[in-house]
């Protein structure tokens, strides 16, 4: 139950933490991993992991109680207890076991004494974290004399902080203790503190709003327990702020807007208006500016969401109030002081690179090469930096993103081989894939001529589908210039490619286009056709003449189910019945076969509208089949014309 340190002195977890606690003036335990300590408890209590059914929790609680009682009255070694809680951590059925334990000891005073000794042993002598957690969970019900010291010692480590706080809660009158823990905590420990902290004083409310959500994990939960649960408008209207407090407040609001929209905040528009008023009068620091930008982003998100859902945002949600907020934000962003503040903060490693880049973009501050390079070196997997470099940056900044990006990005993982990984199913750990995709998509040939082809050939091995598609598209410019090695790389990529869409595009790279035809025509309004439920399917045909067409023009743009237009070519010297097949962009991909076009041309010449849908495309694009439909468009036009005549709305119908 104990472990030995380097000096072979027997030490438990308790004594390790106790020694650190009294040697470091009650500081948080510095040797813990803040990214993992307490993570299991966090995921369970926030329901981010599989939740047991209540009957399962009761069953586990009963089994543990049975084992615990048996070992207390026999060997008192607790080996089976250790085995059980190692496989079934107490956090998964915490409440159920606590209720069972309290009920048991309330009916048996003798049992309490036996349990007390075993629990003290678990807490003070154990070298196993799950044993300590069990002991801390039960300690407040066993009248342990030095319980205050025990809880104080374990409160410095996030692995045990949840159980410590729960123990304080059971003892009672602990809000001030939890507040003191919250002020010095971070990581998952801060989440545990805030979730149990009650905003009963102005000091606590102030801290919860200004600093409560500033943490490296659990931001959404922290915001819901701090800013969203408090009266922000009352706080803003009745508080005098120093410049430092405005920065803290602004940082909290920028965090709030990263997870929640204006409409999710009580009195959101008025709150934003008041915050902007405070910042406008006291331009403070980089986070004051970023809070303004966050409001702009939040409003943009509302507009985009409405547009996606085809709502009439101009007359409904995109009101004068939103317009006013946008104009106020823009005016604040124009202040010259922000350029000075950005220049000062560029070298500050405490400021997130996303904040600096967003502020530079919105204020039109031009980052110098050295400034951008310094930011990029400390955050080279931030996709926003790649976007900035290609959208705003000059040639020197683009060179930084390319040279340093290729040097620092984990290319062995990015180019580990073709996979079915897509943008839509990426997780945060795959962020480097997006960075490389942006590089491949927006890097221009003129900026990196010597290695452009080589880089895109390498990108054919990317795990991300979108990267491979973009690389194959970029390589189209070299399709008549590939050497033997290039062709071998392309052939290898084709042979191992599992995604049909990518394989087609790769196959098009092998087709020589020197003698191929490229021909566009203007797509006029009368060619446009909307699919109607009453359209009639006529026939499926293979488009003829595709082998003479340069299909590289459509190889990454034409897919199954795409609509194509049909247009008569009256002056065709070889076939007076000719019907061209045209993409919606106006590119001619071939003709309706001669054996199928007689009846179709008669329909078209008599005013009927025909269109096609791509049915199937071969990997080399030489064989394209389309389904041809008779459109309902002419009937709709005839009805519309008749109604217009009858209504008298069009004067030219009056004879």
């Amino acid at each position: 139950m104990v472990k030995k340190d380097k000096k072979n002195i027997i030490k438990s977890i308790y004594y390790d933490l106790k020694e650190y606690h009294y040697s470091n003036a009650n500081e948080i335990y510095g040797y813990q991993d803040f990214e993992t300590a307490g993570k299991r408890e966090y995921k369970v209590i926030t329901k981010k992991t599989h939740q047991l059914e209540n009957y399962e929790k009761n069953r586990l609680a009963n089994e543990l109680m049975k084992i615990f009682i048996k070992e207390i009255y026999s060997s008192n070694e607790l080996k089976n207890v250790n085995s059980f809680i190692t496989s079934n951590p107490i956090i998964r059925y915490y409440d159920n076991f606590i209720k069972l334990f309290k009920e048991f000891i309330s009916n048996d005073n003798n049992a309490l004494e036996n349990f007390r000794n075993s629990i003290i042993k678990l807490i003070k002598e154990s070298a196993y974290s799950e044993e300590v957690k069990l002991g801390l969970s039960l300690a407040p019900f066993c009248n342990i004399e030095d319980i205050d010291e025990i809880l104080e010692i374990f409160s410095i480590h996030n692995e045990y902080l949840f159980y410590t706080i729960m123990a304080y809660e059971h003892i009672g009158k602990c809000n001030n203790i939890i507040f003191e823990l919250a002020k010095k905590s971070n990581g998952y420990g801060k989440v545990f503190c805030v979730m149990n902290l009650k905003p009963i004083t102005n000091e606590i409310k102030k801290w919860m709003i200004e600093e409560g959500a500033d943490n490296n994990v659990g931001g959404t939960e922290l915001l819901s327990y701090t800013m969203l649960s408090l009266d922000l408008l009352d706080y803003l209207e009745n508080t005098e702020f120093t410049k430092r407090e405005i920065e803290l407040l602004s940082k909290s609001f920028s965090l709030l807007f990263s997870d929640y929209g204006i409409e999710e905040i009580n009195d959101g528009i008025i709150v934003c208006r008041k915050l902007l008023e405070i910042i406008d009068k006291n331009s403070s620091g980089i986070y004051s500016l970023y809070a303004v930008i966050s409001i702009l982003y939040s409003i943009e998100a509302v507009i985009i969401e409405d547009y996606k859902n085809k709502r009439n945002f101009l007359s409904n949600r995109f009101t004068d109030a939103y317009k006013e907020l946008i104009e106020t934000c823009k005016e604040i962003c124009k202040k010259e002081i922000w350029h000075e503040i950005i220049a000062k903060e560029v070298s500050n490693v405490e400021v997130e690179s996303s904040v600096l880049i967003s502020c530079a973009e919105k204020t039109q501050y031009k980052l110098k090469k050295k400034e951008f390079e310094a930011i990029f070196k400390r955050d080279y997997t931030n996709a926003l930096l790649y976007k900035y470099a290609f959208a705003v940056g000059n040639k020197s900044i683009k060179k930084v993103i390319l040279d340093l990006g290729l040097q620092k990005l984990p290319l062995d993982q990015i180019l580990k081989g073709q996979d079915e990984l897509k943008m839509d199913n990426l997780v945060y750990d795959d962020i480097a894939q997006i960075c490389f995709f942006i590089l491949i998509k927006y890097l221009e040939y003129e900026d990196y001529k010597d290695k452009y082809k080589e880089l895109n050939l390498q990108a054919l091995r990317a795990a991300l589908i979108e990267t491979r598609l973009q690389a194959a598209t970029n390589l189209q410019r070299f399709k008549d210039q590939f050497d033997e090695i290039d062709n071998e790389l392309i052939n290898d990529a084709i042979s191992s490619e599992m995604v049909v869409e990518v394989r087609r595009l790769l196959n098009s790279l092998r087709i020589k286009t020197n003698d191929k035809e490229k021909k566009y025509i203007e797509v006029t309004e009368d060619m446009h056709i909307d699919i109607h439920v009453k359209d009639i399917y006529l026939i499926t045909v293979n488009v003829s003449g595709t082998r003479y067409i340069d299909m590289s023009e459509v190889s990454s743009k034409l897919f199954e189910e795409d609509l194509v237009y049909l247009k008569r070519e009256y002056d065709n010297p070889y076939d007076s019945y000719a019907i061209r097949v045209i993409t919606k962009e106006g590119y001619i991909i071939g003709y309706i076969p001669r054996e199928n076009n007689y009846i179709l041309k008669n329909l078209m010449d008599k005013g009927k509208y025909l269109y096609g849908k791509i049915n199937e495309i071969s990997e080399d694009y030489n064989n394209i089949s389309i389904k041809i439909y008779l459109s309902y468009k002419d009937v709709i036009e005839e009805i519309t014309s008749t109604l217009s005549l009858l209504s008298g709305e069009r004067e030219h119908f009056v004879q």
Side-chain angles (χ1 to χ4, degrees):
M1 190 174 284
V2 293
K3 60 180 180 180
K4 294 184 179 182
D5 65 7
K6 293 180 180 178
K7 297 179 181 179
N8 294 320
I9 299 173
I10 296 176
K11 277 190 176 182
S12 66
I13 293 173
Y14 171 76
Y15 288 109
D16 278 343
L17 292 178
K18 183 177 182 179
E19 181 180 328
Y20 185 93
H21 175 61
Y22 288 115
S23 299
N24 294 275
N26 201 28
E27 291 180 6
I28 293 292
Y29 188 66
Y31 301 121
Q32 62 182 303
D33 184 350
F34 288 99
E35 297 295 324
T36 59
K39 188 173 183 177
R40 174 184 282 166
E41 284 70 21
Y42 165 77
K43 293 180 76 173
V44 171
I45 64 176
T46 57
K47 299 182 178 179
K48 294 183 184 297
T49 189
H50 172 68
Q51 301 291 301
L52 296 177
E53 296 291 343
N54 197 53
Y55 70 85
E56 294 177 294
K57 295 177 182 179
N58 286 333
R59 177 175 54 78
L60 290 172
N62 287 326
E63 286 185 34
L64 176 56
M65 195 69 189
K66 181 180 178 181
I67 295 170
F68 208 172
I69 293 170
K70 183 178 180 180
E71 297 213 335
I72 285 175
Y73 287 102
S74 57
S75 64
N76 205 28
E77 290 294 323
L78 304 180
K79 289 181 180 179
N80 290 325
V81 169
N82 178 288
S83 177
F84 184 85
I85 59 178
T86 299
S87 303
N88 304 283
I90 186 69
I91 187 61
R92 302 190 70 197
Y93 48 99
Y94 174 85
D95 290 333
N96 302 64
F97 185 72
I98 295 300
K99 290 177 183 177
L100 183 63
F101 180 80
K102 287 169 64 179
E103 187 65 28
F104 184 82
I105 61 175
S106 67
N107 294 318
D108 189 341
N109 291 328
N110 293 327
L112 178 60
E113 188 63 32
N114 288 320
F115 271 115
R116 182 187 295 119
N117 294 332
S118 295
I119 288 167
I120 292 173
K121 190 175 182 181
L122 285 172
I123 292 172
K124 292 189 173 182
E125 297 181 19
S126 179
Y128 301 102
S129 61
E130 289 302 321
E131 288 187 351
V132 172
K133 292 173 184 179
L134 176 61
L136 289 172
S137 300
L138 304 180
F141 313 108
C142 296
N143 301 323
I144 296 174
E145 290 183 2
D146 55 348
I147 184 68
D148 291 335
E149 181 186 31
I150 289 171
L151 297 180
E152 184 178 314
I153 288 169
F154 279 103
S155 70
I156 68 173
H157 199 305
N158 284 353
E159 190 70 26
Y160 311 101
L161 189 52
F162 168 80
Y163 305 94
T164 302
I165 292 173
M166 290 297 101
Y168 278 127
E169 289 281 356
H170 288 300
I171 293 170
K173 296 182 180 180
C174 60
N175 202 55
N176 288 335
I177 295 174
I178 294 176
F179 183 39
E180 292 304 314
L181 290 175
K183 288 191 288 187
K184 66 181 180 180
S185 63
N186 59 55
Y188 296 107
K190 187 168 188 175
V191 182
F192 303 145
C193 291
V194 170
M195 289 177 75
N196 291 278
L197 182 60
K198 301 170 184 63
I200 56 178
T201 67
N202 288 332
E203 182 187 5
I204 294 176
K205 291 177 184 177
K206 179 180 175 64
W207 180 86
M208 290 177 80
I209 291 174
E210 294 180 2
E211 302 180 59
D214 187 10
N215 198 40
N216 61 325
V217 296
T220 302
E221 286 75 29
L222 289 172
L223 287 164
S224 66
Y225 279 91
T226 56
M227 300 190 77
L228 282 183
S229 64
L230 298 172
D231 190 340
L232 295 175
L233 184 58
D234 177 72
Y235 180 73
L236 292 175
E237 290 180 337
N238 297 289
T239 307
E240 293 292 328
F241 298 99
T242 64
K243 286 199 171 185
R244 177 183 175 278
E245 289 169 337
I246 292 173
E247 271 295 273
L248 291 173
L249 183 68
S250 298
K251 187 174 184 180
S252 293
F253 267 97
S254 65
L255 291 170
L256 180 63
F257 287 125
S258 68
D259 278 9
Y260 296 95
I262 290 179
E263 294 182 342
E264 296 174 276
I265 302 168
N266 190 36
D267 297 318
I269 290 176
I270 306 174
V271 167
C272 288
R273 189 182 295 139
K274 184 62 182 177
L275 177 64
L276 291 173
E277 180 186 321
I278 293 170
I279 293 173
D280 193 24
K281 289 180 180 178
N282 301 277
S283 301
S284 180
I286 193 74
Y287 282 103
S288 297
L289 172 59
Y290 190 58
V292 176
I293 294 168
S294 297
I295 292 173
L296 275 175
Y297 286 157
S298 185
I299 296 173
E300 287 173 4
V302 172
I303 297 170
I304 291 170
E305 185 64 26
D306 278 358
Y307 179 78
K308 284 181 178 177
N309 294 325
K310 297 182 179 180
R311 296 171 180 156
N312 190 2
F313 59 85
L314 285 174
S315 61
N316 295 332
R317 297 173 73 186
F318 190 54
T319 62
D320 290 339
Y322 279 124
K323 292 178 183 177
E324 178 191 338
L325 286 178
I326 291 172
E327 290 305 314
T328 303
C329 289
K330 288 181 177 178
E331 286 301 314
I332 294 175
C333 287
K334 290 178 182 177
K335 290 187 175 185
E336 293 183 5
I337 190 174
W338 299 127
H339 284 205
E340 181 183 334
I341 289 172
I342 294 170
K344 180 182 176 182
E345 296 290 356
V346 163
S347 59
N348 185 354
V349 296
E350 298 296 321
V351 178
E352 294 180 14
S353 56
S354 298
V355 173
L356 292 168
I357 291 296
S358 296
C359 290
E361 277 192 289
K362 290 296 183 183
T363 61
Q364 296 185 341
Y365 175 84
K366 299 297 182 184
L367 286 168
K368 301 178 181 67
K369 177 187 174 183
K370 286 186 178 180
E371 292 174 330
F372 182 83
E373 189 171 0
I375 298 170
F376 185 74
K377 282 182 177 178
R378 64 177 186 255
D379 196 13
Y380 58 87
T381 56
N382 188 327
L384 194 60
L385 295 178
Y386 291 79
K387 173 180 171 289
Y388 175 87
F390 290 112
V392 180
N394 54 32
K395 286 187 177 180
S396 62
I397 286 180
K398 289 178 183 177
K399 193 172 189 311
V400 168
I401 207 83
L402 182 64
D403 294 343
L404 280 180
L406 293 178
Q407 177 185 328
K408 289 182 169 292
L409 285 173
L411 294 181
D412 56 330
Q413 297 176 27
I414 295 171
L415 305 176
K416 63 182 180 181
Q418 299 151 337
D419 199 348
E420 295 186 79
L421 196 65
K422 299 188 72 173
M423 288 279 191
D424 292 342
N425 55 28
L426 289 181
V427 296
Y428 182 77
D429 290 342
D430 297 320
I431 190 67
Q433 296 281 356
I434 296 178
C435 295
F436 188 72
F437 167 75
I438 294 173
L439 195 154
I440 291 296
K441 182 173 178 62
Y442 294 106
L443 178 66
E444 295 181 2
Y445 172 69
E446 289 71 20
D447 293 333
Y448 211 62
K449 290 182 179 179
D450 55 338
K451 290 190 176 179
Y452 185 85
K453 183 177 74 170
E454 177 189 342
L455 180 62
N456 280 283
L457 284 168
Q458 291 178 12
L460 297 179
R461 302 197 311 273
L464 189 66
I465 291 173
E466 287 87 348
T467 301
R468 302 201 301 277
L469 280 169
Q470 188 61 52
T473 301
N474 294 345
L475 288 168
Q476 296 292 335
R477 71 159 54 234
F478 305 105
K479 65 187 307 178
D480 294 316
Q481 305 169 29
F482 293 132
D483 58 27
E484 187 177 342
I485 295 176
D486 298 336
N487 284 320
E488 186 176 339
L489 289 172
I490 293 169
N491 289 336
D492 287 344
I494 292 171
S495 65
S496 57
E497 181 57 63
M498 61 193 78
V499 179
V500 174
E501 185 181 343
V502 183
R503 197 163 59 243
R504 281 184 189 147
L505 198 50
L506 290 171
N507 271 303
S508 72
L509 293 174
R510 300 194 298 186
I511 303 170
K512 300 300 181 184
T513 61
N514 291 334
D515 56 348
K516 302 274 185 174
E517 184 181 14
K518 285 185 183 180
K519 194 172 182 180
Y520 280 92
I521 67 167
E522 181 183 357
V523 177
T524 57
E525 182 62 30
D526 66 296
M527 293 171 63
H528 176 74
I529 291 178
D530 289 318
I531 296 175
H532 193 278
V533 68
K534 290 190 176 182
D535 295 344
I536 300 172
Y537 166 72
L538 298 178
I539 191 174
T540 298
V541 301
N542 290 318
V543 179
S544 67
T546 53
R547 67 184 62 190
Y548 306 110
I549 305 295
D550 182 358
M551 287 298 177
S552 64
E553 291 293 296
V554 294
S555 56
S556 61
K557 306 168 188 174
L558 193 64
F559 308 103
E560 278 87 352
E561 294 299 313
D562 280 359
L563 187 144
V564 289
Y565 299 135
L566 304 182
K567 188 171 179 62
R568 287 277 281 114
E569 187 178 45
Y570 297 102
D571 56 354
N572 187 300
Y574 306 107
D575 183 6
S576 60
Y577 300 158
I579 302 172
R580 291 179 291 200
V581 182
I582 306 160
T583 69
K584 289 193 289 186
E585 291 74 31
Y587 191 71
I588 301 172
I589 61 171
Y591 292 83
I592 299 298
R594 188 188 296 259
E595 62 269 22
N596 299 116
N597 66 7
Y598 180 72
I599 294 176
L600 299 179
K601 78 93 183 173
N602 283 341
L603 288 170
M604 296 177 73
D605 290 346
K606 293 298 182 181
K608 298 297 182 182
Y609 294 96
L610 305 182
Y611 68 89
K613 265 189 185 180
I614 300 293
N615 179 52
E616 191 174 356
I617 306 175
S618 66
E619 291 187 2
D620 59 6
Y621 275 81
N622 277 342
N623 296 303
I624 302 175
S625 71
I626 63 173
K627 292 182 177 181
I628 298 176
Y629 292 84
L630 175 64
S631 173
Y632 197 63
K633 180 179 178 180
D634 64 309
V635 179
I636 295 173
E637 288 181 344
E638 184 177 340
I639 293 171
T640 303
S641 298
T642 302
L643 291 174
S644 298
L645 176 59
L646 293 174
S647 65
E649 291 180 357
R650 295 186 183 179
E651 293 182 1
H652 64 267
F653 280 112
V654 180
Q655 301 298 322

